[in-house]
Amino acid sequence: MPSELEGMEVEIRTRTSEQEASSRRGPDAVPRPHVAVVPRRAPDGQVVHSAVFFELAAGPYEAYLRRGETPTLPVHITGGQVAFANWPE
């Protein structure tokens, strides 16, 4: 992720959840996990910025900056595997 996004919140939702719950708010709203973009040291010593979501169910998702809600990055999660995606610059 671009370093200028450090500290920003990234939210992720299933591609169908927003369509199914577009009018629902409050207690009936579909939960949307979110995490902060943080710097992490890679094994080679380089600092990379990332947003790590834990334990997502398999399926299609959209990630976006929490402030904007415009889907920015499509991601497909395969059960039991780590998924990687590059944020558009």
Side-chain angles (χ1 to χ4, degrees):
M1 298 195 74
S3 61
E4 59 268 12
L5 295 180
E6 183 175 334
M8 301 290 291
E9 294 281 327
V10 175
E11 222 167 59
I12 196 164
R13 65 180 175 220
T14 62
R15 288 194 201 153
T16 57
S17 66
E18 191 61 19
Q19 294 149 1
E20 293 168 356
S22 60
S23 62
R24 289 190 292 185
R25 297 289 179 245
D28 292 333
V30 175
R32 298 182 190 166
H34 60 276
V35 297
V37 176
V38 297
R40 300 178 194 276
R41 189 158 308 277
D44 65 1
Q46 182 181 10
V47 174
V48 294
H49 287 76
S50 62
V52 177
F53 291 88
F54 296 94
E55 298 185 24
L56 294 173
Y61 288 84
E62 297 171 327
Y64 54 94
L65 292 178
R66 194 166 189 203
R67 68 174 180 208
E69 290 213 24
T70 300
T72 310
L73 181 65
V75 180
H76 186 82
I77 305 298
T78 301
Q81 296 182 10
V82 175
F84 295 92
N86 292 317
W87 195 262
E89 297 206 27

